[in-house]
Amino acid sequence: MRRGRALRWAMGLGFAFLWAPILLLVAYAFSADRIPYQWGGFSLRWFAALAANERLVEAALLSLRIAAGAASLAVLLGGAAGWALARFGPFRGRAVFGALIGAPLVLPEVVTGLSLLLLFVALEAAIGWPAGRGATTVLLAHATLGAAFVAVVVQARLADADRTLEEAAMDLGATPWTAFRTVTLPLIAPALAAGWLLAFTLSLDDVVIASFVSGPAGTTLPIALFSMLRLGLTPEVNALGAVVVLGVGLMLGLAALLLRPRRG
Amino acid sequence: MTGPNQTSGPSGPPVIGSSSAGPIQTSGPSGPPVIGPVLLSAEALTKRFGATLALDALDLQIAAGEFFALLGGSGSGKSTLLRIIAGFEAPDAGRLLLDGRDISATPPWARPVNMMFQSYALFPHLTVADNVAYGLRRAGVAAAERAKRVGDALAMVGLEGFDRRRPHQLSGGQKQRVALARSLVMRPRLLLLDEPLGALDAGLRERTGFELRALQRATGAAFVMVTHDQEEALALADRVALLDGGRIAQLGAPRAIYEKPASRFVARFLGAANVLEGRAAEGRFESAEAGITFAGDIPPGTVAVALRPERIAILPAPADGPNRVRGTVEDVAFRGDDSLLLIRTEAGAVLRVAHAEEDGAPPARGAVVGLGWEPGDVVALPA
């Protein structure tokens, strides 16, 4: 009995540690006061101010577009990589390929960001594309990062699935493409969807890589937020934070739901 | 019981490897003859995996409508052969003929051959009915006929009313039936079964084995089963090929293989027989390890003899001479119909001896007994 109570206290403290700052942020988003850490009564005025702030809204829309594009590209690249790693057997260079795919997961973001910046600059000098830094380069950079996550998720999903399933399909008259379409794809669809959501969230959150590879035309929401901070905090930032917390929470919840273990 | 001890002749394995498409005929000493036109013919199939030779110029013919077992340990090449017949592996050399047509280069989806996988490989995202209908859909069978054939196939394996279930809602035995139905609904001329009873528990194996044979008779398809379990192979198949190192060690009716193993390897793989090495001389066979002289029909060049435990009798009084030996009972295991005795001869070899229950209580541990057998029960092994 006493042990149960101690455990509950420990759990409560742990959750408080994790969630108190976020809850505080959300709570102050509804404060009427001009100082973002001072309670001035309930109000939605900062949400209204946020909606009226064209710069922020534009940045948010750009962020959403980049996130969607980057996540889609990441699913294509990462899905193919995960499939190759799980199903192609021990091909030449498999270990190196696996390590390189996973590199963005372990490399510090400043390193990833800097190296991508160097690559984009070199590419522009060599073939003239991508021209300058902006939304395109941010999208490509985020797709690189997201592909690593998608590859891991898809590979894990395929590793769980019986590899004779595709053979069984072919045995029953399916060409390899039909077998992929009717058996493999439905099997990894939840992993692809979850991977898309993860990549989307990563892109929406990222400020480090984006700061390296974005230009004047590529101000994403986190970058806009950061520059606002330098000029001084307003409760608009709190409101924005609350909206982002809500969005990211929904995304991660959906991803967890899609990746939940199934019977059989 | 058995005829004269010959390793070749009318009761030996049939001569295989000719590319003629004539009927296959084989008959064991007391098994039913298997006669039929050649359905599948493997000619000098060779397959290497790196330095390993999985199949070594293997020749094999399967008759239409027979139940054939490929028996062997791991690494014997049996699974490789199955995968080559299904089309999942390409042979490095040799040909595979189905109805006389070379299918060596035909991809698996274009072969009129279906396979039941060891893991059953049921599609987890499809219902039972959709699993069974999968192949018919690929073949473009119209919806009405598809539904009828799926229903028929499920009825054939006794799974009416299961069509809306998903694979994870089925027991192991039910999954196996769905996998069978999914293959049989394609009406294959040749059905490949990879360890069909391997994943079932003991109680279900015997029943499923009989059901497999009934299905094979009902459909008229040739069944080719891969198994490592000699009891399973002998119980189910019309003909058995025992594989060793990518070659056929022996091929024949189950009874023929059981009664007349062609080599030490076969005798040992089938498990039960006592295999004793020694030297043949003047129609006799001397086994120094057991201190036994075997008399019987021992051709020159015999390197070992096999003697089944149930052929060895415990004599009322120890006697000396050929086909006789003394030994001490080391252990007794009760098996229901009989008891299995481990008897160590004076020379030190251990013989397995079956003592039937109807002959009374077996001798106790430590007892010294005399053993004897008929000359006709000694199987001479030339290799």
Side-chain angles (χ1 to χ4, degrees), chain B residues 5-302:
Chain B
N5 284 294
Q6 288 176 313
T7 48
S8 61
S11 58
V15 178
I16 55 166
S18 72
S19 52
S20 75
I24 300 173
Q25 184 161 353
T26 178
S27 53
S30 30
V34 183
I35 303 168
V38 173
L39 176 66
L40 182 88
S41 176
E43 295 177 358
L45 279 185
T46 303
K47 179 72 184 176
R48 277 174 198 284
F49 293 110
T52 329
L53 194 58
L55 289 181
D56 185 4
L58 184 129
D59 292 309
L60 180 67
Q61 291 185 319
I62 312 275
E66 77 171 321
F67 201 135
F68 193 93
L70 293 167
L71 175 64
S74 61
S76 62
K78 59 185 195 303
S79 299
T80 304
L81 180 55
L82 201 73
R83 290 179 60 78
I84 287 180
I85 297 175
F88 298 130
E89 306 275 357
D92 295 329
R95 297 198 304 165
L96 195 64
L97 304 173
L98 189 76
D99 281 330
R101 197 169 58 88
D102 190 344
I103 58 162
S104 309
T106 310
W109 53 91
R111 293 189 187 197
V113 171
N114 289 104
M115 176 148 162
M116 195 186 98
F117 290 81
Q118 184 174 10
S119 62
Y120 309 141
L122 299 182
F123 306 129
H125 59 295
L126 299 180
T127 62
V128 165
D130 284 337
N131 261 282
V132 177
Y134 186 89
L136 298 177
R137 251 181 238 277
R138 303 283 86 77
V141 175
E145 197 201 334
R146 203 164 64 210
K148 186 186 172 302
R149 277 172 71 175
V150 167
D152 290 349
L154 285 175
M156 189 163 65
V157 296
L159 282 182
E160 298 102 325
F162 280 72
D163 37 352
R164 310 274 9 124
R165 301 250 191 124
R166 298 237 172 206
H168 67 80
Q169 296 169 309
L170 302 177
S171 71
Q174 289 165 343
K175 282 183 194 167
Q176 197 241 24
R177 285 150 188 272
V178 175
L180 256 180
R182 191 177 66 175
S183 302
L184 288 175
V185 79
M186 302 303 292
R187 296 180 185 152
R189 309 265 322 268
L190 183 64
L191 178 68
L192 307 171
L193 303 113
D194 190 2
E195 303 274 2
L197 308 183
L200 300 179
D201 51 48
L204 210 52
R205 279 172 172 234
E206 185 180 282
R207 207 183 84 200
T208 311
F210 279 113
E211 283 168 359
L212 273 181
R213 301 232 316 173
L215 277 175
Q216 190 260 331
R217 283 192 297 268
T219 57
F223 278 27
V224 175
M225 165 177 88
V226 151
T227 178
H228 66 277
D229 183 330
Q230 74 281 2
E231 281 183 35
E232 211 172 285
L234 298 178
L236 293 180
D238 298 319
R239 289 197 306 153
V240 177
L242 177 56
L243 267 62
D244 178 33
R247 299 180 144 273
I248 292 178
Q250 192 171 359
L251 189 154
R255 195 175 289 270
I257 288 190
Y258 184 80
E259 303 274 2
K260 296 261 172 52
S263 66
R264 281 170 290 181
F265 171 78
V266 177
R268 290 203 173 109
F269 193 90
L270 296 180
N274 297 294
V275 178
L276 296 166
E277 317 230 347
R279 276 188 328 112
E282 294 160 8
R284 294 193 167 199
F285 186 84
E286 298 285 345
S287 173
E289 58 169 329
I292 302 175
T293 302
F294 292 90
D297 189 2
I298 310 283
T302 298

Side-chain angles (χ1 to χ4, degrees), chain A residues 156-182:
Chain A
R157 178 83 185 184
L158 279 173
D160 281 348
D162 185 355
R163 61 166 59 235
T164 54
L165 288 175
E166 287 106 337
E167 286 185 348
M170 287 191 260
D171 186 63
L172 292 164
T175 58
W177 164 243
T178 309
F180 179 80
R181 189 171 52 80
T182 57

